[in-house]
Amino acid sequence: MLTLVANMTNSLLVEVTIFLGTAIVIIPLAKRFGIATVLGYLFTGLLLGPSFLKITQNPADLLHFSEFGVVLLLFIIGLELQPSRLWTLRHAIFVLGGLQVLVTGVVLMLITHFLFGIRLSSGFVVGFGLALSSTAFVLQLLTEKQQLTATHGQKAFTILLFQDIAVIPLLAILPFLSGVQNQHYDWIYFAKVLAIFLGLIVASRHVVRPFFKFVASSGATELLTAVALFIVLGVSILMEYVGLSMALGAFLTGVLLADSEYRHELEASIEPFKGLLLGLFFMSVGMMTDVKLILAKPAIIIGGALALMVVKFFILTLIAKALNHRTPTSIRLGTTLAQGGEFAFVLFSVAQNQNLLSSTEHNVLNLIVTTSMALTPLAFLLLEKIGEPMFSKATPKREYDNIPNHAHPVILAGFGRMGQIIGRVLRMHNIEFTAIDKSANQVDFVRKFGNQVYYGDPKNPEVLRASGIANAKLFVLTIGNIEHSILVADYVKRNYPDLPILARATNREHYHRLRDVGVRYIWRETYLSALDMSRESLQKLGFSDDVAKKSVEMFRTYDDELIERQHAIYQDELQMIASAKSAVAELESLFDSDMNESCKEKLNP
């Protein structure tokens, strides 16, 4: 039936509707089984493509249309990067990115030339085309796994950015390699390129921002989306006009608008379109996977994809190690960028038109790139299941610090946000303390700022004894992990019953469990800050300072009493729910009664 519908019309809109309808069923199912979103889109495209249901016979057309999703993705990334931050990344972009493209491109070019007998001009196209990685795949996977801000995520981004820049000279070189020069790269061409870049800089400052202000003042908020799309489309058309990468132009435009006051409106307007078009892009890549050709030449295509990923993995890992990156980071980076990229499709297509690649070579190379993309989520899975546990075991265990027994009156167990503030106040009064934290990274970080803190686990009795707990006058417990906090509190109460404990509770359950082990003085995390914000909120809403202050004090008194009453039932969910509902009505009644009393006092002084 689906084939019948597709044959009735060649409308791209009908095809896209079917693709989206299938995706909204398959993608949630894939997520439920722990399959990456990208892999779900690839499977959807494979299912609907020429190899199976044959919804479309021209997946390349859909790929060209959906590549605009990559353009929007880079525009949004550009919005997150202010020019000053981009400048600070210049070393990583041009050194790490440049080495990756150059070394990988040369190695792959030589492999194709000497092993497969391809002439050097064609080998150059194959080598440097395969050296490029998939911006869309990598950024989507890193975002899903919340690794974009990790070290390997940031380095991967800078390499991808250089690759997008490298596409420009690579496309420019192709006519010289083939002898077919449709584009004249004279001074007029480069003057056009320079004029467009200068125009973007000027327009971002003196045209786009005032125009956004003008549109926003009209109150027609839907036009902000139209303006955002117009900007990206306009820049992309300009870039394509001079033969440059649309994605690069969109990225630069985003960077130039990164410090604009309308940055968030632009991002919010573009985000939904970006997500949908990226989904279509991944589906179109899946559709281009010719299963029949893979079955006919499995050794060449699947073997070629695996060989490509292995070569790129080792080259990038070695480059990262040579630039003094840690081994786990280098391996993660190599795994992340081991696949081929979407710009390889563009490069190979132009190369075929320039007679640098035959039709068969073009199809095989496209399938190798597509297969490597499809294998990328599996490579991430292997890294998580095998690589990460190995990294954890290989990390040398750091010995706890030797804590000198200074017989300080205060021991701080946990030196995070709360512990540091308490420590500063104590130091202000020249009160000596011994601070212990079980996070080596946290200890190393706070030491940079002149803090005296020791690496050790407060759960370890030996560490506590070494800190001088037997002679301490006060034990301050600010550990955030509930289980660890309870273990420490329980040990201290049982072995040093006369030592006062001041404890931090991250939530009400933590409070009750601390009370269970006998801790009396407990401060709930963010509680006092929330009360202070509540008081300020009432004042901003027109309540007098006295009424706002009295309301917050009343609430605090009532809530302190309530949490004590609830301690006896906190493990019974049904009773806790009933108690909470009752407390809301009781608090409202208490406030109304207090307000009435205040009114009577004013009338009868």
Side-chain angles (χ1 to χ4, degrees):
M1 180 178 179
L2 292 175
T3 306
L4 178 63
V5 173
N7 291 335
M8 289 173 62
T9 175
N10 271 329
S11 170
L12 183 63
L13 182 62
V14 173
E15 291 181 1
V16 169
T17 303
I18 295 173
F19 300 148
L20 292 177
T22 308
I24 61 178
V25 174
I26 292 179
I27 302 304
L29 288 174
K31 290 290 288 183
R32 176 163 293 187
F33 289 102
I35 300 172
T37 303
V38 173
L39 203 57
Y41 280 121
L42 282 173
F43 176 76
T44 304
L46 185 65
L47 181 67
L48 298 177
S51 297
F52 289 99
L53 296 180
K54 301 179 181 179
I55 295 301
T56 180
Q57 298 297 324
N58 298 301
D61 294 339
L62 185 67
L63 178 67
H64 183 69
F65 169 73
S66 61
E67 277 175 354
F68 195 59
V70 181
V71 173
L72 295 178
L73 172 66
L74 286 171
F75 176 72
I76 288 178
I77 291 171
L79 285 175
E80 299 294 333
L81 283 176
Q82 293 182 341
S84 57
R85 186 183 169 202
L86 187 61
W87 178 250
T88 62
L89 294 173
R90 67 190 185 281
H91 181 270
I93 293 172
F94 292 101
V95 175
L96 184 56
L99 282 173
Q100 185 275 327
V101 172
L102 180 63
V103 175
T104 308
V106 170
V107 169
L108 291 173
M109 177 180 70
L110 294 176
I111 289 174
T112 55
H113 175 66
F114 289 107
L115 289 185
F116 300 101
I118 297 176
R119 65 184 191 273
L120 278 176
S121 57
S122 298
F124 176 88
V125 176
V126 175
F128 281 88
L130 294 177
L132 305 177
S133 303
S134 176
T135 301
F137 264 69
V138 170
L139 294 183
Q140 182 78 4
L141 282 169
L142 289 175
T143 301
E144 278 186 20
K145 298 179 181 298
Q146 298 180 336
Q147 296 176 4
L148 198 54
T149 56
T151 302
H152 70 282
Q154 293 177 339
K155 299 303 178 185
F157 171 74
T158 58
I159 293 172
L160 290 168
L161 183 56
F162 181 85
Q163 290 179 359
D164 292 337
I165 297 171
V167 170
I168 301 167
L170 288 175
L171 288 171
I173 289 171
L174 295 186
F176 293 99
L177 293 175
S178 66
V180 181
Q181 296 188 35
N182 295 325
Q183 175 66 272
H184 297 288
Y185 294 94
D186 51 18
W187 67 271
I188 297 177
Y189 169 78
F190 289 106
K192 288 179 181 177
V193 174
L194 182 61
I196 286 177
F197 280 106
L198 291 175
L200 285 176
I201 295 171
V202 173
S204 68
R205 295 278 176 183
H206 304 292
V207 177
V208 174
R209 296 180 191 189
F211 187 64
F212 249 104
K213 187 175 182 179
F214 167 74
V215 173
S217 64
S218 70
T221 54
E222 70 278 0
L223 289 179
L224 293 175
T225 302
V227 173
L229 289 172
F230 172 77
I231 291 170
V232 182
L233 283 168
V235 172
S236 300
I237 292 170
L238 276 175
M239 288 294 170
E240 195 171 38
Y241 169 70
V242 295
L244 300 181
S245 163
M246 290 192 299
L248 177 63
F251 173 79
L252 291 176
T253 305
V255 170
L256 293 172
L257 293 173
D259 56 356
S260 164
E261 61 270 33
Y262 295 104
R263 176 171 68 88
H264 296 294
E265 283 84 350
L266 282 165
E267 188 172 353
S269 300
I270 293 293
E271 184 69 34
F273 297 97
K274 182 266 295 183
L276 289 173
L277 287 171
L278 271 181
L280 282 175
F281 172 79
F282 297 135
M283 281 191 278
S284 59
V285 170
M287 277 182 256
M288 291 183 66
T289 305
D290 189 343
V291 177
K292 291 180 180 177
L293 187 55
I294 292 176
L295 293 176
K297 300 180 178 180
I300 294 176
I301 295 170
I302 298 177
L306 291 172
L308 170 66
M309 296 180 77
V310 170
V311 170
K312 292 184 73 173
F313 167 80
F314 278 110
I315 289 174
L316 187 49
T317 300
L318 292 173
I319 290 173
K321 277 293 293 178
L323 293 176
N324 298 319
H325 290 291
R326 295 171 59 246
T327 300
T329 300
S330 303
I331 292 175
R332 291 182 186 111
L333 188 58
T335 305
T336 301
L337 297 177
Q339 76 292 122
E342 55 272 359
F343 286 118
F345 298 137
V346 178
L347 201 65
F348 294 153
S349 178
V350 174
Q352 184 189 10
N353 294 334
Q354 300 281 349
N355 297 320
L356 286 168
L357 294 175
S358 67
S359 176
T360 302
E361 290 171 337
H362 175 249
N363 290 335
V364 169
L365 286 169
N366 277 351
L367 277 174
I368 288 175
V369 172
T370 304
T371 305
S372 70
M373 286 182 177
L375 292 174
T376 298
L378 299 179
F380 268 76
L381 185 63
L382 287 175
L383 176 65
E384 291 172 355
K385 299 297 183 183
I386 300 175
E388 297 298 344
M390 289 176 60
F391 299 153
S392 300
K393 292 178 182 177
T395 303
K397 187 175 180 180
R398 176 169 167 177
E399 296 294 328
Y400 290 146
D401 292 338
N402 290 320
I403 305 175
N405 189 349
H406 293 303
H408 291 157
V410 180
I411 294 176
L412 287 177
F415 207 64
R417 296 168 299 173
M418 290 187 70
Q420 290 172 54
I421 292 172
I422 295 168
R424 289 166 63 187
V425 174
L426 293 173
R427 191 177 291 117
M428 183 175 69
H429 291 278
N430 295 316
I431 299 173
E432 298 289 348
F433 61 87
T434 300
I436 310 166
D437 200 286
K438 70 166 294 185
S439 169
N441 291 333
Q442 176 70 4
V443 168
D444 293 338
F445 177 74
V446 297
R447 279 178 178 171
K448 294 178 183 177
F449 297 90
N451 294 287
Q452 183 61 60
V453 56
Y454 298 98
Y455 170 55
D457 190 348
K459 299 198 310 297
N460 189 322
E462 292 297 326
V463 171
L464 290 178
R465 280 194 286 270
S467 67
I469 191 172
N471 299 313
K473 296 179 180 178
L474 183 66
F475 189 87
V476 180
L477 179 60
T478 64
I479 297 173
N481 185 290
I482 296 178
E483 299 303 327
H484 294 178
S485 171
I486 299 301
L487 286 173
V488 174
D490 184 48
Y491 174 82
V492 174
K493 285 301 295 182
R494 282 190 291 104
N495 292 277
Y496 306 94
D498 297 328
L499 179 63
I501 299 176
L502 307 186
R504 157 206 184 185
T506 56
N507 52 37
R508 295 177 85 91
E509 179 192 356
H510 193 181
Y511 176 96
H512 290 306
R513 293 184 63 184
L514 286 168
R515 289 281 288 109
D516 284 342
V517 297
V519 180
R520 295 290 303 174
Y521 307 105
I522 306 171
W523 279 258
R524 283 177 275 162
E525 189 177 75
T526 71
Y527 181 55
L528 297 180
S529 297
L531 291 178
D532 196 44
M533 289 180 69
S534 301
R535 177 187 53 76
E536 188 69 21
S537 299
L538 291 174
Q539 291 176 359
K540 295 295 183 187
L541 292 170
F543 288 82
S544 68
D545 293 351
D546 290 340
V547 171
K549 184 178 179 181
K550 190 171 183 179
S551 298
V552 170
E553 288 177 351
M554 182 192 304
F555 174 85
R556 182 177 181 181
T557 301
Y558 176 79
D559 196 58
D560 288 344
E561 294 173 354
L562 175 66
I563 199 170
E564 282 300 314
R565 295 203 309 266
Q566 289 179 334
H567 179 64
I569 60 169
Y570 81 93
Q571 293 179 325
D572 188 323
E573 185 179 4
L574 292 177
Q575 288 195 55
M576 283 292 290
I577 292 171
S579 174
K581 290 180 178 179
S582 173
V584 173
E586 190 176 330
L587 189 60
E588 289 177 355
S589 174
L590 185 64
F591 179 74
D592 290 340
S593 175
D594 184 75
M595 290 297 291
N596 291 333
E597 288 296 326
S598 298
C599 290
K600 289 178 182 178
E601 289 177 6
K602 290 180 181 180
L603 292 173
N604 303 299

